[in-house]
Amino acid sequence: MLNIILLGPPGAGKGTQAARLQAERGMIQLSTGDMLREAVAAGTPVGLKAKAVMERGELVSDAIVSALIGERLDASADKGAIFDGFPRTKHQAAALEILLAQRGRRLDHVIELVVDEDELVRRIVGRFTCAKCGAPYHDHFRLPAVPGVCDVCGSTKFKRRPDDNEETVRTRMAEYRAKTAPILPYYEDKGLVRRVDGMASVDEVAAQIDAIVDGKA
Ligand code: AP5
Ligand code: MG
């Protein structure tokens, strides 16, 4: 039962790869971004606090996201967890360590997806998803096989994230550089960091991650 973190800047491909690992291996994708967007859509107290912060591209408070992960962690107990977009600060990294230790679990790998900044902007600004099943698409790299119809569930409704515009993306990247990248040395000291070339195609990135997860790289 593996516990892995996918770490990387906005648009690096964390969600794409986490969803694939969940579908192919039955591991559980724990995405704080998705949890927060669900809370915003449902209008919960957490959602009300998070909405404006997310629209500005800033980080939501450590206490809120750590609590969200704590609530969902047990669901991944048998199958393994893929942490997508968490932890994002040193405080969150410490919180995760405690949450795992309390359950007799530990981290196996921190997989860093490395991608150039210009490529990140291109990816994010073109991104859209199926409004029904969440399957990810892109205006240039990944259109549905039949235009306007989701490959996975057949829905004809799609949506774009309110924080996927160039200005907000720049703020999200600045937040990554200032607050998230500094947690890498913490994991490097523990010998957990594995780097993957996130500029490669989705399938090539998947193969690099699979090799790590299968203990072959
Ligand atoms: P979150 O939802 O986590 O967004 P993010 O980190 O900005 O990352 P993205 O989801 O934009 O990118 P991704 O790496 O998942 O890439 P994807 O696979 O979609 O967070 C959103 C907000 O919530 C934050 O700004 C913050 O406010 C808040 N938040 C969330 N977690 C928090 C936390 N822990 N603490 C505090 N605040 C938190 O890929 C992007 C696009 O590229 C897609 O179109 C995809 O199809 C395409 N693509 C993917 N891989 C490839 C490839 N190899 N080649 C070509 N295209 C590709
Ligand atoms: Mg994502």
mmCIF file with all atom_site columns, all heavy atoms in Angstrom, residues 101-126:
data_model
loop_
_atom_site.group_PDB
_atom_site.id
_atom_site.type_symbol
_atom_site.label_atom_id
_atom_site.label_alt_id
_atom_site.label_comp_id
_atom_site.label_asym_id
_atom_site.label_entity_id
_atom_site.label_seq_id
_atom_site.pdbx_PDB_ins_code
_atom_site.Cartn_x
_atom_site.Cartn_y
_atom_site.Cartn_z
_atom_site.occupancy
_atom_site.B_iso_or_equiv
_atom_site.pdbx_formal_charge
_atom_site.auth_seq_id
_atom_site.auth_comp_id
_atom_site.auth_asym_id
_atom_site.auth_atom_id
_atom_site.pdbx_PDB_model_num
ATOM 1   N N   . ALA A 1 101 ? 1.478  9.056  10.390  1.00 0.00 ? 101 ALA A N   1
ATOM 2   C CA  . ALA A 1 101 ? 2.040  8.312  11.525  1.00 0.00 ? 101 ALA A CA  1
ATOM 3   C C   . ALA A 1 101 ? 0.931  7.825  12.457  1.00 0.00 ? 101 ALA A C   1
ATOM 4   O O   . ALA A 1 101 ? 0.984  6.699  12.974  1.00 0.00 ? 101 ALA A O   1
ATOM 5   C CB  . ALA A 1 101 ? 3.044  9.177  12.282  1.00 0.00 ? 101 ALA A CB  1
ATOM 6   N N   . GLN A 1 102 ? -0.095 8.660  12.656  1.00 0.00 ? 102 GLN A N   1
ATOM 7   C CA  . GLN A 1 102 ? -1.215 8.271  13.528  1.00 0.00 ? 102 GLN A CA  1
ATOM 8   C C   . GLN A 1 102 ? -1.908 7.006  13.022  1.00 0.00 ? 102 GLN A C   1
ATOM 9   O O   . GLN A 1 102 ? -2.583 6.312  13.765  1.00 0.00 ? 102 GLN A O   1
ATOM 10  C CB  . GLN A 1 102 ? -2.257 9.397  13.580  1.00 0.00 ? 102 GLN A CB  1
ATOM 11  C CG  . GLN A 1 102 ? -1.838 10.566 14.453  1.00 0.00 ? 102 GLN A CG  1
ATOM 12  C CD  . GLN A 1 102 ? -2.749 11.779 14.248  1.00 0.00 ? 102 GLN A CD  1
ATOM 13  O OE1 . GLN A 1 102 ? -3.455 11.895 13.237  1.00 0.00 ? 102 GLN A OE1 1
ATOM 14  N NE2 . GLN A 1 102 ? -2.722 12.712 15.196  1.00 0.00 ? 102 GLN A NE2 1
ATOM 15  N N   . ARG A 1 103 ? -1.763 6.744  11.725  1.00 0.00 ? 103 ARG A N   1
ATOM 16  C CA  . ARG A 1 103 ? -2.412 5.574  11.117  1.00 0.00 ? 103 ARG A CA  1
ATOM 17  C C   . ARG A 1 103 ? -1.406 4.466  10.798  1.00 0.00 ? 103 ARG A C   1
ATOM 18  O O   . ARG A 1 103 ? -1.731 3.531  10.048  1.00 0.00 ? 103 ARG A O   1
ATOM 19  C CB  . ARG A 1 103 ? -3.129 6.021  9.831   1.00 0.00 ? 103 ARG A CB  1
ATOM 20  C CG  . ARG A 1 103 ? -4.319 6.919  10.132  1.00 0.00 ? 103 ARG A CG  1
ATOM 21  C CD  . ARG A 1 103 ? -4.728 7.731  8.916   1.00 0.00 ? 103 ARG A CD  1
ATOM 22  N NE  . ARG A 1 103 ? -5.960 8.471  9.170   1.00 0.00 ? 103 ARG A NE  1
ATOM 23  C CZ  . ARG A 1 103 ? -6.016 9.631  9.838   1.00 0.00 ? 103 ARG A CZ  1
ATOM 24  N NH1 . ARG A 1 103 ? -4.910 10.191 10.324  1.00 0.00 ? 103 ARG A NH1 1
ATOM 25  N NH2 . ARG A 1 103 ? -7.168 10.239 10.028  1.00 0.00 ? 103 ARG A NH2 1
ATOM 26  N N   . GLY A 1 104 ? -0.190 4.589  11.303  1.00 0.00 ? 104 GLY A N   1
ATOM 27  C CA  . GLY A 1 104 ? 0.834  3.574  11.031  1.00 0.00 ? 104 GLY A CA  1
ATOM 28  C C   . GLY A 1 104 ? 1.273  3.556  9.582   1.00 0.00 ? 104 GLY A C   1
ATOM 29  O O   . GLY A 1 104 ? 1.734  2.536  9.076   1.00 0.00 ? 104 GLY A O   1
ATOM 30  N N   . ARG A 1 105 ? 1.137  4.690  8.897   1.00 0.00 ? 105 ARG A N   1
ATOM 31  C CA  . ARG A 1 105 ? 1.504  4.763  7.476   1.00 0.00 ? 105 ARG A CA  1
ATOM 32  C C   . ARG A 1 105 ? 2.697  5.696  7.298   1.00 0.00 ? 105 ARG A C   1
ATOM 33  O O   . ARG A 1 105 ? 2.986  6.512  8.155   1.00 0.00 ? 105 ARG A O   1
ATOM 34  C CB  . ARG A 1 105 ? 0.305  5.274  6.654   1.00 0.00 ? 105 ARG A CB  1
ATOM 35  C CG  . ARG A 1 105 ? -0.834 4.290  6.646   1.00 0.00 ? 105 ARG A CG  1
ATOM 36  C CD  . ARG A 1 105 ? -2.142 4.896  6.160   1.00 0.00 ? 105 ARG A CD  1
ATOM 37  N NE  . ARG A 1 105 ? -2.108 5.323  4.773   1.00 0.00 ? 105 ARG A NE  1
ATOM 38  C CZ  . ARG A 1 105 ? -3.174 5.738  4.100   1.00 0.00 ? 105 ARG A CZ  1
ATOM 39  N NH1 . ARG A 1 105 ? -4.364 5.770  4.698   1.00 0.00 ? 105 ARG A NH1 1
ATOM 40  N NH2 . ARG A 1 105 ? -3.081 6.116  2.854   1.00 0.00 ? 105 ARG A NH2 1
ATOM 41  N N   . ARG A 1 106 ? 3.390  5.526  6.173   1.00 0.00 ? 106 ARG A N   1
ATOM 42  C CA  . ARG A 1 106 ? 4.471  6.461  5.900   1.00 0.00 ? 106 ARG A CA  1
ATOM 43  C C   . ARG A 1 106 ? 4.558  6.732  4.405   1.00 0.00 ? 106 ARG A C   1
ATOM 44  O O   . ARG A 1 106 ? 4.019  5.966  3.600   1.00 0.00 ? 106 ARG A O   1
ATOM 45  C CB  . ARG A 1 106 ? 5.796  5.926  6.426   1.00 0.00 ? 106 ARG A CB  1
ATOM 46  C CG  . ARG A 1 106 ? 6.211  4.658  5.762   1.00 0.00 ? 106 ARG A CG  1
ATOM 47  C CD  . ARG A 1 106 ? 7.529  4.152  6.310   1.00 0.00 ? 106 ARG A CD  1
ATOM 48  N NE  . ARG A 1 106 ? 7.816  2.862  5.711   1.00 0.00 ? 106 ARG A NE  1
ATOM 49  C CZ  . ARG A 1 106 ? 8.294  2.708  4.482   1.00 0.00 ? 106 ARG A CZ  1
ATOM 50  N NH1 . ARG A 1 106 ? 8.577  3.757  3.732   1.00 0.00 ? 106 ARG A NH1 1
ATOM 51  N NH2 . ARG A 1 106 ? 8.495  1.505  3.980   1.00 0.00 ? 106 ARG A NH2 1
ATOM 52  N N   . LEU A 1 107 ? 5.263  7.816  4.070   1.00 0.00 ? 107 LEU A N   1
ATOM 53  C CA  . LEU A 1 107 ? 5.406  8.193  2.667   1.00 0.00 ? 107 LEU A CA  1
ATOM 54  C C   . LEU A 1 107 ? 6.407  7.289  1.972   1.00 0.00 ? 107 LEU A C   1
ATOM 55  O O   . LEU A 1 107 ? 7.449  6.969  2.543   1.00 0.00 ? 107 LEU A O   1
ATOM 56  C CB  . LEU A 1 107 ? 5.954  9.618  2.579   1.00 0.00 ? 107 LEU A CB  1
ATOM 57  C CG  . LEU A 1 107 ? 4.954  10.757 2.586   1.00 0.00 ? 107 LEU A CG  1
ATOM 58  C CD1 . LEU A 1 107 ? 5.723  12.064 2.531   1.00 0.00 ? 107 LEU A CD1 1
ATOM 59  C CD2 . LEU A 1 107 ? 3.995  10.647 1.408   1.00 0.00 ? 107 LEU A CD2 1
ATOM 60  N N   . ASP A 1 108 ? 6.084  6.905  0.719   1.00 0.00 ? 108 ASP A N   1
ATOM 61  C CA  . ASP A 1 108 ? 7.022  6.095  -0.053  1.00 0.00 ? 108 ASP A CA  1
ATOM 62  C C   . ASP A 1 108 ? 7.821  6.941  -1.037  1.00 0.00 ? 108 ASP A C   1
ATOM 63  O O   . ASP A 1 108 ? 9.023  6.750  -1.176  1.00 0.00 ? 108 ASP A O   1
ATOM 64  C CB  . ASP A 1 108 ? 6.249  5.008  -0.804  1.00 0.00 ? 108 ASP A CB  1
ATOM 65  C CG  . ASP A 1 108 ? 5.607  4.043  0.173   1.00 0.00 ? 108 ASP A CG  1
ATOM 66  O OD1 . ASP A 1 108 ? 6.328  3.207  0.725   1.00 0.00 ? 108 ASP A OD1 1
ATOM 67  O OD2 . ASP A 1 108 ? 4.388  4.160  0.421   1.00 0.00 ? 108 ASP A OD2 1
ATOM 68  N N   . HIS A 1 109 ? 7.136  7.837  -1.764  1.00 0.00 ? 109 HIS A N   1
ATOM 69  C CA  . HIS A 1 109 ? 7.834  8.653  -2.759  1.00 0.00 ? 109 HIS A CA  1
ATOM 70  C C   . HIS A 1 109 ? 7.223  10.050 -2.820  1.00 0.00 ? 109 HIS A C   1
ATOM 71  O O   . HIS A 1 109 ? 6.020  10.209 -2.664  1.00 0.00 ? 109 HIS A O   1
ATOM 72  C CB  . HIS A 1 109 ? 7.687  8.065  -4.171  1.00 0.00 ? 109 HIS A CB  1
ATOM 73  C CG  . HIS A 1 109 ? 8.135  6.655  -4.304  1.00 0.00 ? 109 HIS A CG  1
ATOM 74  N ND1 . HIS A 1 109 ? 9.453  6.279  -4.212  1.00 0.00 ? 109 HIS A ND1 1
ATOM 75  C CD2 . HIS A 1 109 ? 7.437  5.517  -4.520  1.00 0.00 ? 109 HIS A CD2 1
ATOM 76  C CE1 . HIS A 1 109 ? 9.540  4.970  -4.379  1.00 0.00 ? 109 HIS A CE1 1
ATOM 77  N NE2 . HIS A 1 109 ? 8.330  4.481  -4.550  1.00 0.00 ? 109 HIS A NE2 1
ATOM 78  N N   . VAL A 1 110 ? 8.093  11.019 -3.104  1.00 0.00 ? 110 VAL A N   1
ATOM 79  C CA  . VAL A 1 110 ? 7.631  12.358 -3.469  1.00 0.00 ? 110 VAL A CA  1
ATOM 80  C C   . VAL A 1 110 ? 8.073  12.544 -4.918  1.00 0.00 ? 110 VAL A C   1
ATOM 81  O O   . VAL A 1 110 ? 9.270  12.660 -5.194  1.00 0.00 ? 110 VAL A O   1
ATOM 82  C CB  . VAL A 1 110 ? 8.262  13.437 -2.569  1.00 0.00 ? 110 VAL A CB  1
ATOM 83  C CG1 . VAL A 1 110 ? 7.823  14.832 -3.031  1.00 0.00 ? 110 VAL A CG1 1
ATOM 84  C CG2 . VAL A 1 110 ? 7.877  13.201 -1.115  1.00 0.00 ? 110 VAL A CG2 1
ATOM 85  N N   . ILE A 1 111 ? 7.114  12.508 -5.837  1.00 0.00 ? 111 ILE A N   1
ATOM 86  C CA  . ILE A 1 111 ? 7.449  12.569 -7.261  1.00 0.00 ? 111 ILE A CA  1
ATOM 87  C C   . ILE A 1 111 ? 7.285  14.000 -7.741  1.00 0.00 ? 111 ILE A C   1
ATOM 88  O O   . ILE A 1 111 ? 6.174  14.541 -7.742  1.00 0.00 ? 111 ILE A O   1
ATOM 89  C CB  . ILE A 1 111 ? 6.568  11.600 -8.071  1.00 0.00 ? 111 ILE A CB  1
ATOM 90  C CG1 . ILE A 1 111 ? 6.777  10.168 -7.550  1.00 0.00 ? 111 ILE A CG1 1
ATOM 91  C CG2 . ILE A 1 111 ? 6.880  11.702 -9.561  1.00 0.00 ? 111 ILE A CG2 1
ATOM 92  C CD1 . ILE A 1 111 ? 5.912  9.119  -8.226  1.00 0.00 ? 111 ILE A CD1 1
ATOM 93  N N   . GLU A 1 112 ? 8.414  14.612 -8.119  1.00 0.00 ? 112 GLU A N   1
ATOM 94  C CA  . GLU A 1 112 ? 8.379  16.008 -8.580  1.00 0.00 ? 112 GLU A CA  1
ATOM 95  C C   . GLU A 1 112 ? 8.237  16.033 -10.096 1.00 0.00 ? 112 GLU A C   1
ATOM 96  O O   . GLU A 1 112 ? 9.048  15.448 -10.813 1.00 0.00 ? 112 GLU A O   1
ATOM 97  C CB  . GLU A 1 112 ? 9.651  16.751 -8.167  1.00 0.00 ? 112 GLU A CB  1
ATOM 98  C CG  . GLU A 1 112 ? 9.594  18.219 -8.563  1.00 0.00 ? 112 GLU A CG  1
ATOM 99  C CD  . GLU A 1 112 ? 10.937 18.957 -8.450  1.00 0.00 ? 112 GLU A CD  1
ATOM 100 O OE1 . GLU A 1 112 ? 11.959 18.324 -8.137  1.00 0.00 ? 112 GLU A OE1 1
ATOM 101 O OE2 . GLU A 1 112 ? 10.935 20.170 -8.726  1.00 0.00 ? 112 GLU A OE2 1
ATOM 102 N N   . LEU A 1 113 ? 7.201  16.722 -10.581 1.00 0.00 ? 113 LEU A N   1
ATOM 103 C CA  . LEU A 1 113 ? 6.997  16.891 -12.020 1.00 0.00 ? 113 LEU A CA  1
ATOM 104 C C   . LEU A 1 113 ? 7.636  18.217 -12.422 1.00 0.00 ? 113 LEU A C   1
ATOM 105 O O   . LEU A 1 113 ? 7.212  19.275 -11.973 1.00 0.00 ? 113 LEU A O   1
ATOM 106 C CB  . LEU A 1 113 ? 5.498  16.913 -12.344 1.00 0.00 ? 113 LEU A CB  1
ATOM 107 C CG  . LEU A 1 113 ? 4.720  15.641 -11.984 1.00 0.00 ? 113 LEU A CG  1
ATOM 108 C CD1 . LEU A 1 113 ? 3.223  15.879 -12.115 1.00 0.00 ? 113 LEU A CD1 1
ATOM 109 C CD2 . LEU A 1 113 ? 5.139  14.501 -12.883 1.00 0.00 ? 113 LEU A CD2 1
ATOM 110 N N   . VAL A 1 114 ? 8.661  18.140 -13.271 1.00 0.00 ? 114 VAL A N   1
ATOM 111 C CA  . VAL A 1 114 ? 9.415  19.346 -13.637 1.00 0.00 ? 114 VAL A CA  1
ATOM 112 C C   . VAL A 1 114 ? 8.974  19.819 -15.016 1.00 0.00 ? 114 VAL A C   1
ATOM 113 O O   . VAL A 1 114 ? 9.063  19.069 -15.993 1.00 0.00 ? 114 VAL A O   1
ATOM 114 C CB  . VAL A 1 114 ? 10.929 19.040 -13.633 1.00 0.00 ? 114 VAL A CB  1
ATOM 115 C CG1 . VAL A 1 114 ? 11.720 20.302 -13.965 1.00 0.00 ? 114 VAL A CG1 1
ATOM 116 C CG2 . VAL A 1 114 ? 11.362 18.462 -12.287 1.00 0.00 ? 114 VAL A CG2 1
ATOM 117 N N   . VAL A 1 115 ? 8.467  21.068 -15.094 1.00 0.00 ? 115 VAL A N   1
ATOM 118 C CA  . VAL A 1 115 ? 7.958  21.632 -16.358 1.00 0.00 ? 115 VAL A CA  1
ATOM 119 C C   . VAL A 1 115 ? 8.334  23.118 -16.450 1.00 0.00 ? 115 VAL A C   1
ATOM 120 O O   . VAL A 1 115 ? 8.284  23.827 -15.443 1.00 0.00 ? 115 VAL A O   1
ATOM 121 C CB  . VAL A 1 115 ? 6.408  21.506 -16.445 1.00 0.00 ? 115 VAL A CB  1
ATOM 122 C CG1 . VAL A 1 115 ? 5.880  21.988 -17.789 1.00 0.00 ? 115 VAL A CG1 1
ATOM 123 C CG2 . VAL A 1 115 ? 5.956  20.079 -16.203 1.00 0.00 ? 115 VAL A CG2 1
ATOM 124 N N   . ASP A 1 116 ? 8.706  23.581 -17.656 1.00 0.00 ? 116 ASP A N   1
ATOM 125 C CA  . ASP A 1 116 ? 9.029  25.005 -17.867 1.00 0.00 ? 116 ASP A CA  1
ATOM 126 C C   . ASP A 1 116 ? 7.803  25.886 -17.646 1.00 0.00 ? 116 ASP A C   1
ATOM 127 O O   . ASP A 1 116 ? 6.694  25.512 -17.998 1.00 0.00 ? 116 ASP A O   1
ATOM 128 C CB  . ASP A 1 116 ? 9.461  25.261 -19.324 1.00 0.00 ? 116 ASP A CB  1
ATOM 129 C CG  . ASP A 1 116 ? 10.754 24.570 -19.655 1.00 0.00 ? 116 ASP A CG  1
ATOM 130 O OD1 . ASP A 1 116 ? 11.406 24.065 -18.731 1.00 0.00 ? 116 ASP A OD1 1
ATOM 131 O OD2 . ASP A 1 116 ? 11.079 24.529 -20.860 1.00 0.00 ? 116 ASP A OD2 1
ATOM 132 N N   . GLU A 1 117 ? 8.065  27.117 -17.191 1.00 0.00 ? 117 GLU A N   1
ATOM 133 C CA  . GLU A 1 117 ? 6.953  28.014 -16.844 1.00 0.00 ? 117 GLU A CA  1
ATOM 134 C C   . GLU A 1 117 ? 6.076  28.397 -18.051 1.00 0.00 ? 117 GLU A C   1
ATOM 135 O O   . GLU A 1 117 ? 4.861  28.454 -17.931 1.00 0.00 ? 117 GLU A O   1
ATOM 136 C CB  . GLU A 1 117 ? 7.503  29.265 -16.146 1.00 0.00 ? 117 GLU A CB  1
ATOM 137 C CG  . GLU A 1 117 ? 6.393  30.121 -15.594 1.00 0.00 ? 117 GLU A CG  1
ATOM 138 C CD  . GLU A 1 117 ? 6.796  30.949 -14.380 1.00 0.00 ? 117 GLU A CD  1
ATOM 139 O OE1 . GLU A 1 117 ? 7.681  30.530 -13.615 1.00 0.00 ? 117 GLU A OE1 1
ATOM 140 O OE2 . GLU A 1 117 ? 6.193  32.020 -14.205 1.00 0.00 ? 117 GLU A OE2 1
ATOM 141 N N   . ASP A 1 118 ? 6.681  28.639 -19.218 1.00 0.00 ? 118 ASP A N   1
ATOM 142 C CA  . ASP A 1 118 ? 5.865  29.015 -20.389 1.00 0.00 ? 118 ASP A CA  1
ATOM 143 C C   . ASP A 1 118 ? 4.921  27.884 -20.784 1.00 0.00 ? 118 ASP A C   1
ATOM 144 O O   . ASP A 1 118 ? 3.776  28.106 -21.182 1.00 0.00 ? 118 ASP A O   1
ATOM 145 C CB  . ASP A 1 118 ? 6.757  29.364 -21.589 1.00 0.00 ? 118 ASP A CB  1
ATOM 146 C CG  . ASP A 1 118 ? 7.460  30.693 -21.375 1.00 0.00 ? 118 ASP A CG  1
ATOM 147 O OD1 . ASP A 1 118 ? 7.027  31.453 -20.475 1.00 0.00 ? 118 ASP A OD1 1
ATOM 148 O OD2 . ASP A 1 118 ? 8.439  30.969 -22.099 1.00 0.00 ? 118 ASP A OD2 1
ATOM 149 N N   . GLU A 1 119 ? 5.417  26.664 -20.668 1.00 0.00 ? 119 GLU A N   1
ATOM 150 C CA  . GLU A 1 119 ? 4.594  25.490 -20.995 1.00 0.00 ? 119 GLU A CA  1
ATOM 151 C C   . GLU A 1 119 ? 3.424  25.380 -20.004 1.00 0.00 ? 119 GLU A C   1
ATOM 152 O O   . GLU A 1 119 ? 2.306  25.035 -20.383 1.00 0.00 ? 119 GLU A O   1
ATOM 153 C CB  . GLU A 1 119 ? 5.472  24.232 -20.955 1.00 0.00 ? 119 GLU A CB  1
ATOM 154 C CG  . GLU A 1 119 ? 4.734  22.911 -21.025 1.00 0.00 ? 119 GLU A CG  1
ATOM 155 C CD  . GLU A 1 119 ? 4.140  22.594 -22.394 1.00 0.00 ? 119 GLU A CD  1
ATOM 156 O OE1 . GLU A 1 119 ? 4.422  23.345 -23.355 1.00 0.00 ? 119 GLU A OE1 1
ATOM 157 O OE2 . GLU A 1 119 ? 3.377  21.612 -22.490 1.00 0.00 ? 119 GLU A OE2 1
ATOM 158 N N   . LEU A 1 120 ? 3.684  25.724 -18.745 1.00 0.00 ? 120 LEU A N   1
ATOM 159 C CA  . LEU A 1 120 ? 2.626  25.640 -17.726 1.00 0.00 ? 120 LEU A CA  1
ATOM 160 C C   . LEU A 1 120 ? 1.477  26.574 -18.073 1.00 0.00 ? 120 LEU A C   1
ATOM 161 O O   . LEU A 1 120 ? 0.307  26.202 -17.987 1.00 0.00 ? 120 LEU A O   1
ATOM 162 C CB  . LEU A 1 120 ? 3.185  26.006 -16.348 1.00 0.00 ? 120 LEU A CB  1
ATOM 163 C CG  . LEU A 1 120 ? 4.250  25.060 -15.790 1.00 0.00 ? 120 LEU A CG  1
ATOM 164 C CD1 . LEU A 1 120 ? 4.845  25.635 -14.510 1.00 0.00 ? 120 LEU A CD1 1
ATOM 165 C CD2 . LEU A 1 120 ? 3.656  23.687 -15.519 1.00 0.00 ? 120 LEU A CD2 1
ATOM 166 N N   . VAL A 1 121 ? 1.828  27.789 -18.482 1.00 0.00 ? 121 VAL A N   1
ATOM 167 C CA  . VAL A 1 121 ? 0.785  28.763 -18.808 1.00 0.00 ? 121 VAL A CA  1
ATOM 168 C C   . VAL A 1 121 ? -0.030 28.252 -19.996 1.00 0.00 ? 121 VAL A C   1
ATOM 169 O O   . VAL A 1 121 ? -1.263 28.290 -19.993 1.00 0.00 ? 121 VAL A O   1
ATOM 170 C CB  . VAL A 1 121 ? 1.400  30.149 -19.108 1.00 0.00 ? 121 VAL A CB  1
ATOM 171 C CG1 . VAL A 1 121 ? 0.326  31.120 -19.583 1.00 0.00 ? 121 VAL A CG1 1
ATOM 172 C CG2 . VAL A 1 121 ? 2.102  30.701 -17.867 1.00 0.00 ? 121 VAL A CG2 1
ATOM 173 N N   . ARG A 1 122 ? 0.668  27.736 -21.015 1.00 0.00 ? 122 ARG A N   1
ATOM 174 C CA  . ARG A 1 122 ? -0.028 27.217 -22.202 1.00 0.00 ? 122 ARG A CA  1
ATOM 175 C C   . ARG A 1 122 ? -0.988 26.098 -21.808 1.00 0.00 ? 122 ARG A C   1
ATOM 176 O O   . ARG A 1 122 ? -2.130 26.050 -22.243 1.00 0.00 ? 122 ARG A O   1
ATOM 177 C CB  . ARG A 1 122 ? 1.029  26.681 -23.177 1.00 0.00 ? 122 ARG A CB  1
ATOM 178 C CG  . ARG A 1 122 ? 0.652  26.849 -24.609 1.00 0.00 ? 122 ARG A CG  1
ATOM 179 C CD  . ARG A 1 122 ? 1.681  26.496 -25.659 1.00 0.00 ? 122 ARG A CD  1
ATOM 180 N NE  . ARG A 1 122 ? 2.805  25.703 -25.277 1.00 0.00 ? 122 ARG A NE  1
ATOM 181 C CZ  . ARG A 1 122 ? 4.068  26.156 -25.261 1.00 0.00 ? 122 ARG A CZ  1
ATOM 182 N NH1 . ARG A 1 122 ? 4.324  27.412 -25.575 1.00 0.00 ? 122 ARG A NH1 1
ATOM 183 N NH2 . ARG A 1 122 ? 5.053  25.366 -24.933 1.00 0.00 ? 122 ARG A NH2 1
ATOM 184 N N   . ARG A 1 123 ? -0.519 25.216 -20.958 1.00 0.00 ? 123 ARG A N   1
ATOM 185 C CA  . ARG A 1 123 ? -1.374 24.089 -20.546 1.00 0.00 ? 123 ARG A CA  1
ATOM 186 C C   . ARG A 1 123 ? -2.606 24.564 -19.786 1.00 0.00 ? 123 ARG A C   1
ATOM 187 O O   . ARG A 1 123 ? -3.711 24.085 -20.011 1.00 0.00 ? 123 ARG A O   1
ATOM 188 C CB  . ARG A 1 123 ? -0.583 23.141 -19.638 1.00 0.00 ? 123 ARG A CB  1
ATOM 189 C CG  . ARG A 1 123 ? 0.393  22.285 -20.378 1.00 0.00 ? 123 ARG A CG  1
ATOM 190 C CD  . ARG A 1 123 ? 0.968  21.269 -19.419 1.00 0.00 ? 123 ARG A CD  1
ATOM 191 N NE  . ARG A 1 123 ? 2.080  20.561 -20.031 1.00 0.00 ? 123 ARG A NE  1
ATOM 192 C CZ  . ARG A 1 123 ? 2.799  19.643 -19.397 1.00 0.00 ? 123 ARG A CZ  1
ATOM 193 N NH1 . ARG A 1 123 ? 2.526  19.355 -18.146 1.00 0.00 ? 123 ARG A NH1 1
ATOM 194 N NH2 . ARG A 1 123 ? 3.793  19.045 -20.013 1.00 0.00 ? 123 ARG A NH2 1
ATOM 195 N N   . ILE A 1 124 ? -2.392 25.479 -18.863 1.00 0.00 ? 124 ILE A N   1
ATOM 196 C CA  . ILE A 1 124 ? -3.500 25.851 -17.980 1.00 0.00 ? 124 ILE A CA  1
ATOM 197 C C   . ILE A 1 124 ? -4.552 26.669 -18.707 1.00 0.00 ? 124 ILE A C   1
ATOM 198 O O   . ILE A 1 124 ? -5.750 26.445 -18.541 1.00 0.00 ? 124 ILE A O   1
ATOM 199 C CB  . ILE A 1 124 ? -2.962 26.628 -16.762 1.00 0.00 ? 124 ILE A CB  1
ATOM 200 C CG1 . ILE A 1 124 ? -2.212 25.657 -15.861 1.00 0.00 ? 124 ILE A CG1 1
ATOM 201 C CG2 . ILE A 1 124 ? -4.093 27.296 -16.004 1.00 0.00 ? 124 ILE A CG2 1
ATOM 202 C CD1 . ILE A 1 124 ? -1.621 26.292 -14.642 1.00 0.00 ? 124 ILE A CD1 1
ATOM 203 N N   . VAL A 1 125 ? -4.088 27.606 -19.547 1.00 0.00 ? 125 VAL A N   1
ATOM 204 C CA  . VAL A 1 125 ? -5.054 28.488 -20.189 1.00 0.00 ? 125 VAL A CA  1
ATOM 205 C C   . VAL A 1 125 ? -5.926 27.708 -21.185 1.00 0.00 ? 125 VAL A C   1
ATOM 206 O O   . VAL A 1 125 ? -7.067 28.078 -21.428 1.00 0.00 ? 125 VAL A O   1
ATOM 207 C CB  . VAL A 1 125 ? -4.321 29.716 -20.804 1.00 0.00 ? 125 VAL A CB  1
ATOM 208 C CG1 . VAL A 1 125 ? -5.244 30.569 -21.624 1.00 0.00 ? 125 VAL A CG1 1
ATOM 209 C CG2 . VAL A 1 125 ? -3.697 30.555 -19.675 1.00 0.00 ? 125 VAL A CG2 1
ATOM 210 N N   . GLY A 1 126 ? -5.437 26.559 -21.706 1.00 0.00 ? 126 GLY A N   1
ATOM 211 C CA  . GLY A 1 126 ? -6.226 25.763 -22.663 1.00 0.00 ? 126 GLY A CA  1
ATOM 212 C C   . GLY A 1 126 ? -7.015 24.634 -22.037 1.00 0.00 ? 126 GLY A C   1
ATOM 213 O O   . GLY A 1 126 ? -7.695 23.877 -22.706 1.00 0.00 ? 126 GLY A O   1
#
